[in-house]
Each structure stands twice: as structure tokens, then as C-alpha cells.
Amino acid sequence: MLYHLIVNGVETKVTINKESLKFESDGTESITYMFDDVIGCEEVMTGWVWKTEVTRVWLIEHGSSNLLLKKCRVVSGDQRRRFQHDLTEKIVMETKRPKKVLVMINPNGGNRTATRDLRDIVEPVFRLSGMSMDIILSEYPGHLIAATKGYDFTNIDGIVLLGGDGTYHEVLNVLMRKRQEEQGVDINDPNAALSPLNIPLGLIPTGTKSHWSELHIGSLDVLTATLHIVQGKTVPSNVMVLYSNGKLVAFVCAGFSHGYLSNLVSRCDRNFRWLGRSRYRLVSMWMLLFESLTQYVYDAKVTFYTSVTKRQNTETNEKEIFVADRKLTGYSSYTSDTVTYNRTFWDLMNFNGNANFDGSIHLDGSRMFVPKPTMFSSFVLFGTIQLESVRKAFKQLREKTCLDQFPNELDVLPVRGLKLELTGNPDDAEPDTSMGRRKMVLDGEMYDLETPTSELWYKEDVVPIFSSYL
């Protein structure tokens, strides 16, 4: 279908074909948009004295650093209304974008911008795209958990969360447990094949940490996350699953930590939430500068499930073991698919996604899921780590630069799973420091370690998410 229109004040031939919308203006510009990249149309009046009715066509364009941009073309002319009608009808028929979504909001996460972002960014875009919303605003701790348990998802095409990793963690765990129960899956069996969710999720990053959002859309931009949902494309994503004492503890979307960071998160959430997103950085600086690192060490046996290879050192004629081209030291034993450490740890951190890029380590969420990995990344900080090494490592992790190697202080392994067994008494230390030994941090949420033993496993393709990035 061909239309002769005025677009942004220029005579333009506009074509709606089977798969796309094309603008051609006097041979100086030719640009094509797939229908997934057409947000929608709206009629507005322009002019101060002589009012003129025009159509604004809102479009998605790709910017730098994985950003999606919202652009407008103002259309007028004799064929304007027919063009608007035909384009709107074509979008409805040719796109798979959700028609109705459940929007769940954590208004107190991060810098408390979720409600404003919904009003100023998310709602206008959803309205233009023809999507309707059912909105639930969290009013107290655990509200979204209760709401998810009792909600009827029959007529909902997707769930949109405004918050951070903790918000996603809460809702994900309710949905996954419910889904496994419906499908007869034993959630307490680490070897059980999980049943994928039957409803896609989208996270709009307004929380303190949104590693999950960065993994799956390559950005922490609110508008970009919103536009990925409008595009309507879904892909399956992976989760980590923690088990302890013979039963499921939780599904983990972004990361797991045990040790120093357990103490840090516990302190921050107990006493310093009023600092907002900066609380983790400021409290961590205090702990590292004014407290002894030895307060946070713990004895443990950790078995990593991964692919181990042996190589002969031609200079020393000794056998060395490697995981993904990384030479390992300090291990106690190994097999072809496991490596075990028996030693003192300062912290054990595990992140959803691959942090190994051609032999270099980068904790860069925008790259860790491209291509989608089959393992997660485990960062092992040994009890021998020096303060200067901690500072340097945290700085490089925060700035997403290449992580230096610290012999006998830090190892990074890609793994399918791990088994953690605490071998010391977790209550030997002072109450504040022993808390980190008895607790784990999953997506920023605190969990009690019921027994000295736990297992963490990677499960692939179980959560459909809105993303045109992966």
C-alpha cells in the first residue's frame, strides 16, 4: 500500500508492505522499520491560531550502548487518516506484542523512582502501543509475594516488574514454585528437570541492583527496557537454583554470595537503607578501611562441577589442571568434571552468566548473556586475600574492566553447579561477623543457611523474558 504524505514537513512516499513500513522522501532519505519497531500512532492538534490535525507515528530506533530510542514522525496530508488506520490494523495483525500486562511496582527500591518512571515513561509508551495494564503497587514487605500467589493470570500476556533484582526474585520464586507444583515436578530434587514458566516476564530497572535486566537487555535504561516489552519478542532465560537440607531454598536470577558480602548486605539492609543505592559502596568502604578482613573468613569444602583438563608443563614436566584455559592452584582434588577446594574462604560469589571473555574476566552484565551461556561464573576469594587486592578487584568489578589475577588469592571458574560444605563452627565469631557465615545473599535477599551444606545448580531455558537483545 502506497501513500503520498507530508512527513516532518517533507513530501514523502510511505509504503506499508507485508513486513515493514518504509519512508522515502525525494530520494534524499529512505528508511525502513519492521512492524515490531512501530510503537503506535496518535492524533494531535498543532498550531496556535489555525489548528491542524496531524498524526504522530512513534517508532523505535537503535542507539549506542544497546539503547533503544523513541522517535516521532509527524504525518499530514489528504491520505493521513487512511494511512493511520491501515498502519494500526497492520500492527495488530503482524506483531506479537502483549495486549494486557500485569505491572507490579516496588516504589521504595533504589532511589524510589519507580512510580515516577511508570507515570512519565512506561505508561505513555504502553498506551501508544495499545497495551492495557493491571497495576499492583507494593504497600508493605512481602506484598508482591502475596499478590502473585493470589492473582488470576488467565487473561494476562506478561508480567512487568518495576524494581530491581530483589523484586524479580520475589515474584520469580512464587511463579516457579507454583508452576512446578502444577506440573508435578519435585522441586526438592536437584536433578529434576524444571518445567518452564508459561508467562513471560519483563524487568524495568528501577531498583538498587538490576543485574538481571542488564543481562537480558544489555542496558539499565528504563525506556529501553520498556521498548523491549513493546516489541513483544520473548526468549528463554536461565536461573540458578539453591538447595539445602534436602530441599529447595530459592531460585536465583542474578547472583549468590556467601561470606563478606553476606555481612555487608545484612548491615546495609538492617541499618542503612536510607542511603539508597549508595549504601553498599559506602558501608563496604567502611568495613574494608576500618575492620580486619580476618573477621569474615570461614573454613569450607567447595566442589565445583565443571570441565577439567590436564596439561603437561613442558618446562617443569609437571601436570597442571585447567578450567576454560585458566590454570588452577590451591585445589585439594579433581576429576574430569569436578574440582574441590578445602581451605579458608573470604567470600564466594556466583553470577548468572559468563564472565570469561577470551581468557579475560569481566563482570559486565551487558555481555555476560551474549551468547547465552550454559554455565555461571564463580568468583572464589580465598582467606589469604590482601586488602589491596580486595580494593583493586572490587574497583575492577565495579568499573567492568578486566579483572587482574591474584595468585593464591582469587580464582574465577565457569561452572554448572557447586556444593558448599562449611567445616568450621559458624557461631565461633562475634554476632555481627558470624551472621555472614550463617546467611547467604540471593539476588540481594538474605536467607538463613539451615545446615552447613548447600548446592547451587544452573538450570537452562526455564523463564521466558521479554527481550529483543538476546
Side-chain angles (χ1 to χ4, degrees), residues 102-349:
L102 170 63
V103 178
M104 308 182 81
I105 307 169
N106 175 12
N108 297 316
N111 291 329
R112 302 186 177 185
T113 63
T115 304
R116 184 184 66 202
D117 288 338
L118 175 69
R119 181 194 66 218
D120 296 343
I121 301 174
V122 179
E123 192 278 333
V125 171
F126 283 1
R127 175 178 51 80
L128 281 168
S129 70
M131 292 166 52
S132 62
M133 299 182 295
D134 191 1
I135 299 174
I136 297 177
L137 181 71
S138 178
E139 299 176 356
Y140 52 85
H143 185 183
L144 296 185
I145 294 176
T148 306
K149 288 180 178 179
Y151 193 83
D152 181 4
F153 293 96
T154 304
N155 298 314
I156 295 296
D157 301 314
I159 303 171
V160 177
L161 307 172
L162 274 77
D165 292 334
T167 303
Y168 180 83
H169 178 91
E170 288 186 345
V171 175
L172 172 70
N173 273 271
V174 174
L175 294 173
M176 283 295 294
R177 287 175 181 269
K178 182 178 180 180
R179 178 65 174 173
Q180 307 320 304
E181 181 181 346
E182 291 172 347
Q183 299 300 310
V185 177
D186 182 1
I187 61 173
N188 297 315
D189 180 5
N191 298 313
L194 298 177
S195 179
L197 293 182
N198 58 351
I199 186 168
L201 287 85
L203 177 63
I204 296 178
T206 62
T208 304
K209 294 289 183 180
S210 296
H211 183 70
W212 184 91
S213 181
E214 193 173 18
L215 285 174
H216 293 90
I217 65 170
S219 170
L220 293 174
D221 179 62
V222 170
L223 177 60
T224 296
T226 305
L227 294 176
H228 274 286
I229 296 166
V230 168
Q231 287 177 319
K233 181 181 177 182
T234 62
V235 293
S237 70
N238 307 339
V239 296
M240 298 183 288
V241 190
L242 182 68
Y243 304 88
S244 181
N245 198 27
K247 62 182 180 181
L248 171 73
V249 176
F251 298 92
V252 187
C253 69
F256 157 101
S257 178
H258 187 63
Y260 166 78
L261 289 179
S262 301
N263 282 277
L264 172 63
V265 172
S266 178
R267 286 192 185 187
C268 287
D269 288 355
R270 190 174 63 220
N271 300 318
F272 298 101
R273 290 194 70 89
W274 56 273
L275 287 173
R277 292 181 177 178
S278 65
R279 63 185 183 272
Y280 297 109
R281 179 172 56 85
L282 295 175
V283 177
S284 179
M285 289 173 58
W286 171 271
M287 293 170 68
L288 293 175
L289 288 172
F290 301 108
E291 297 179 359
S292 170
L293 293 185
T294 58
Q295 295 184 72
Y296 307 107
V297 300
Y298 58 99
D299 296 322
K301 176 182 177 181
V302 184
T303 299
F304 297 97
Y305 297 86
T306 184
S307 298
V308 179
T309 58
K310 292 186 292 185
R311 302 179 189 177
Q312 195 80 17
N313 188 315
T314 56
E315 295 182 359
T316 64
N317 203 33
E318 295 179 350
K319 290 183 179 179
E320 299 172 337
I321 73 164
F322 290 79
V323 172
D325 292 326
R326 293 181 52 77
K327 178 184 174 181
L328 301 186
T329 60
Y331 57 88
S332 301
S333 62
Y334 69 90
T335 67
S336 61
D337 56 6
T338 65
V339 59
T340 299
Y341 290 88
N342 282 284
R343 58 184 299 180
T344 300
F345 295 91
W346 184 69
D347 203 286
L348 180 64
M349 299 182 292

